Amino acid sequence: DKPKPDSLTAKKEAKPTPKPAMEKQGATEKKPTAVAIKPKTIHAGSTTQYQLLSDTVQLDIFDDQKEDGDKITVLKNNEAVLTDFTTTQKTQSLRFVVDKTEQEVLFTIISTNEGTSPPNTVKVYLINGRQKTLLVAPLKKNQKVRIRLYRK
């Protein structure tokens, strides 16, 4: 009879040992890594410029705050690539190949709606070669920001 309670006790002890709560505490160490990329606020009407470091560029777009129906349109060289898109906390990735003959690429992000909780605060990770830049744009309806990438 004694081995049975011991084996039950051993099982009970085995479950708490790899506590998920302990793992979560260790996972909090990831937060400083996320904070390492300092957000750069870009204001309505402005053009932010970066040297093109690669033949591919990626924009990862998501809602900075609560999902409240914010909508944006994204243009590449004045041509729509995303129209009236509702931003969410799930990232929308847009990847572009930049032809070697193109000396610059101009992305325009336009707020088409502020949702239920103004302003429309869009977050964009600009992935340019190995460089990853976090841009934050608080926009009112119909305001826009531009991101210009140029070859040296």
Side-chain angles (χ1 to χ4, degrees), residues 49-61:
Q49 301 188 63
Y50 295 96
Q51 182 180 336
L52 193 57
L53 302 175
S54 171
D55 289 333
T56 58
V57 175
Q58 184 169 317
L59 301 177
D60 289 345
I61 301 168

PDB file of all heavy atoms in Angstrom, residues 49-61:
ATOM      1  N   GLN A  49      13.485  59.625 -44.148  1.00  0.00           N
ATOM      2  CA  GLN A  49      14.355  59.114 -45.199  1.00  0.00           C
ATOM      3  C   GLN A  49      15.409  58.155 -44.648  1.00  0.00           C
ATOM      4  O   GLN A  49      15.967  58.394 -43.577  1.00  0.00           O
ATOM      5  CB  GLN A  49      15.054  60.280 -45.905  1.00  0.00           C
ATOM      6  CG  GLN A  49      14.050  61.245 -46.516  1.00  0.00           C
ATOM      7  CD  GLN A  49      14.726  62.281 -47.384  1.00  0.00           C
ATOM      8  OE1 GLN A  49      15.338  61.934 -48.381  1.00  0.00           O
ATOM      9  NE2 GLN A  49      14.603  63.545 -47.006  1.00  0.00           N
ATOM     10  N   TYR A  50      15.657  57.106 -45.417  1.00  0.00           N
ATOM     11  CA  TYR A  50      16.679  56.119 -45.078  1.00  0.00           C
ATOM     12  C   TYR A  50      17.386  55.695 -46.353  1.00  0.00           C
ATOM     13  O   TYR A  50      16.778  55.632 -47.422  1.00  0.00           O
ATOM     14  CB  TYR A  50      16.056  54.862 -44.436  1.00  0.00           C
ATOM     15  CG  TYR A  50      15.403  55.136 -43.115  1.00  0.00           C
ATOM     16  CD1 TYR A  50      14.036  55.361 -43.040  1.00  0.00           C
ATOM     17  CD2 TYR A  50      16.145  55.192 -41.942  1.00  0.00           C
ATOM     18  CE1 TYR A  50      13.423  55.626 -41.831  1.00  0.00           C
ATOM     19  CE2 TYR A  50      15.538  55.458 -40.731  1.00  0.00           C
ATOM     20  CZ  TYR A  50      14.182  55.682 -40.678  1.00  0.00           C
ATOM     21  OH  TYR A  50      13.585  55.942 -39.484  1.00  0.00           O
ATOM     22  N   GLN A  51      18.659  55.370 -46.205  1.00  0.00           N
ATOM     23  CA  GLN A  51      19.402  54.818 -47.342  1.00  0.00           C
ATOM     24  C   GLN A  51      18.938  53.385 -47.557  1.00  0.00           C
ATOM     25  O   GLN A  51      18.760  52.624 -46.603  1.00  0.00           O
ATOM     26  CB  GLN A  51      20.905  54.842 -47.058  1.00  0.00           C
ATOM     27  CG  GLN A  51      21.712  54.332 -48.234  1.00  0.00           C
ATOM     28  CD  GLN A  51      23.202  54.355 -47.965  1.00  0.00           C
ATOM     29  OE1 GLN A  51      23.684  55.110 -47.130  1.00  0.00           O
ATOM     30  NE2 GLN A  51      23.936  53.522 -48.670  1.00  0.00           N
ATOM     31  N   LEU A  52      18.729  53.006 -48.801  1.00  0.00           N
ATOM     32  CA  LEU A  52      18.313  51.654 -49.157  1.00  0.00           C
ATOM     33  C   LEU A  52      19.500  50.714 -48.954  1.00  0.00           C
ATOM     34  O   LEU A  52      20.560  50.914 -49.540  1.00  0.00           O
ATOM     35  CB  LEU A  52      17.846  51.650 -50.614  1.00  0.00           C
ATOM     36  CG  LEU A  52      17.083  50.436 -51.112  1.00  0.00           C
ATOM     37  CD1 LEU A  52      15.840  50.175 -50.274  1.00  0.00           C
ATOM     38  CD2 LEU A  52      16.683  50.644 -52.566  1.00  0.00           C
ATOM     39  N   LEU A  53      19.316  49.701 -48.110  1.00  0.00           N
ATOM     40  CA  LEU A  53      20.418  48.797 -47.775  1.00  0.00           C
ATOM     41  C   LEU A  53      20.310  47.437 -48.451  1.00  0.00           C
ATOM     42  O   LEU A  53      21.176  46.600 -48.291  1.00  0.00           O
ATOM     43  CB  LEU A  53      20.465  48.595 -46.252  1.00  0.00           C
ATOM     44  CG  LEU A  53      20.632  49.859 -45.413  1.00  0.00           C
ATOM     45  CD1 LEU A  53      20.538  49.535 -43.937  1.00  0.00           C
ATOM     46  CD2 LEU A  53      21.950  50.548 -45.732  1.00  0.00           C
ATOM     47  N   SER A  54      19.204  47.219 -49.167  1.00  0.00           N
ATOM     48  CA  SER A  54      18.961  45.909 -49.756  1.00  0.00           C
ATOM     49  C   SER A  54      18.053  46.063 -50.979  1.00  0.00           C
ATOM     50  O   SER A  54      17.454  47.116 -51.179  1.00  0.00           O
ATOM     51  CB  SER A  54      18.285  45.026 -48.706  1.00  0.00           C
ATOM     52  OG  SER A  54      17.839  43.820 -49.258  1.00  0.00           O
ATOM     53  N   ASP A  55      17.938  45.003 -51.746  1.00  0.00           N
ATOM     54  CA  ASP A  55      17.018  45.030 -52.885  1.00  0.00           C
ATOM     55  C   ASP A  55      15.616  44.588 -52.476  1.00  0.00           C
ATOM     56  O   ASP A  55      14.721  44.514 -53.316  1.00  0.00           O
ATOM     57  CB  ASP A  55      17.545  44.136 -54.016  1.00  0.00           C
ATOM     58  CG  ASP A  55      18.779  44.742 -54.677  1.00  0.00           C
ATOM     59  OD1 ASP A  55      18.932  45.974 -54.652  1.00  0.00           O
ATOM     60  OD2 ASP A  55      19.597  43.971 -55.213  1.00  0.00           O
ATOM     61  N   THR A  56      15.452  44.256 -51.216  1.00  0.00           N
ATOM     62  CA  THR A  56      14.113  43.947 -50.705  1.00  0.00           C
ATOM     63  C   THR A  56      13.846  44.798 -49.474  1.00  0.00           C
ATOM     64  O   THR A  56      14.740  45.038 -48.658  1.00  0.00           O
ATOM     65  CB  THR A  56      13.940  42.458 -50.334  1.00  0.00           C
ATOM     66  OG1 THR A  56      14.906  42.110 -49.367  1.00  0.00           O
ATOM     67  CG2 THR A  56      14.041  41.562 -51.534  1.00  0.00           C
ATOM     68  N   VAL A  57      12.618  45.256 -49.384  1.00  0.00           N
ATOM     69  CA  VAL A  57      12.178  46.080 -48.259  1.00  0.00           C
ATOM     70  C   VAL A  57      10.876  45.481 -47.752  1.00  0.00           C
ATOM     71  O   VAL A  57      10.045  45.026 -48.550  1.00  0.00           O
ATOM     72  CB  VAL A  57      11.925  47.536 -48.720  1.00  0.00           C
ATOM     73  CG1 VAL A  57      11.354  48.367 -47.593  1.00  0.00           C
ATOM     74  CG2 VAL A  57      13.199  48.162 -49.241  1.00  0.00           C
ATOM     75  N   GLN A  58      10.719  45.472 -46.440  1.00  0.00           N
ATOM     76  CA  GLN A  58       9.485  44.947 -45.873  1.00  0.00           C
ATOM     77  C   GLN A  58       8.893  45.953 -44.894  1.00  0.00           C
ATOM     78  O   GLN A  58       9.616  46.562 -44.110  1.00  0.00           O
ATOM     79  CB  GLN A  58       9.766  43.622 -45.159  1.00  0.00           C
ATOM     80  CG  GLN A  58       8.532  42.944 -44.617  1.00  0.00           C
ATOM     81  CD  GLN A  58       8.828  41.535 -44.168  1.00  0.00           C
ATOM     82  OE1 GLN A  58       9.531  40.787 -44.838  1.00  0.00           O
ATOM     83  NE2 GLN A  58       8.308  41.169 -43.010  1.00  0.00           N
ATOM     84  N   LEU A  59       7.576  46.120 -44.968  1.00  0.00           N
ATOM     85  CA  LEU A  59       6.838  46.934 -44.007  1.00  0.00           C
ATOM     86  C   LEU A  59       5.942  45.992 -43.225  1.00  0.00           C
ATOM     87  O   LEU A  59       5.105  45.301 -43.819  1.00  0.00           O
ATOM     88  CB  LEU A  59       5.978  47.984 -44.717  1.00  0.00           C
ATOM     89  CG  LEU A  59       6.666  49.003 -45.624  1.00  0.00           C
ATOM     90  CD1 LEU A  59       5.626  49.906 -46.276  1.00  0.00           C
ATOM     91  CD2 LEU A  59       7.659  49.833 -44.858  1.00  0.00           C
ATOM     92  N   ASP A  60       6.122  45.933 -41.913  1.00  0.00           N
ATOM     93  CA  ASP A  60       5.241  45.159 -41.042  1.00  0.00           C
ATOM     94  C   ASP A  60       4.354  46.157 -40.328  1.00  0.00           C
ATOM     95  O   ASP A  60       4.835  46.942 -39.502  1.00  0.00           O
ATOM     96  CB  ASP A  60       6.045  44.334 -40.034  1.00  0.00           C
ATOM     97  CG  ASP A  60       6.777  43.171 -40.678  1.00  0.00           C
ATOM     98  OD1 ASP A  60       6.457  42.829 -41.829  1.00  0.00           O
ATOM     99  OD2 ASP A  60       7.662  42.592 -40.020  1.00  0.00           O
ATOM    100  N   ILE A  61       3.062  46.136 -40.638  1.00  0.00           N
ATOM    101  CA  ILE A  61       2.133  47.158 -40.161  1.00  0.00           C
ATOM    102  C   ILE A  61       1.159  46.560 -39.155  1.00  0.00           C
ATOM    103  O   ILE A  61       0.619  45.468 -39.380  1.00  0.00           O
ATOM    104  CB  ILE A  61       1.344  47.740 -41.362  1.00  0.00           C
ATOM    105  CG1 ILE A  61       2.333  48.343 -42.367  1.00  0.00           C
ATOM    106  CG2 ILE A  61       0.308  48.754 -40.912  1.00  0.00           C
ATOM    107  CD1 ILE A  61       1.713  48.693 -43.701  1.00  0.00           C
TER     108      ILE A  61
END
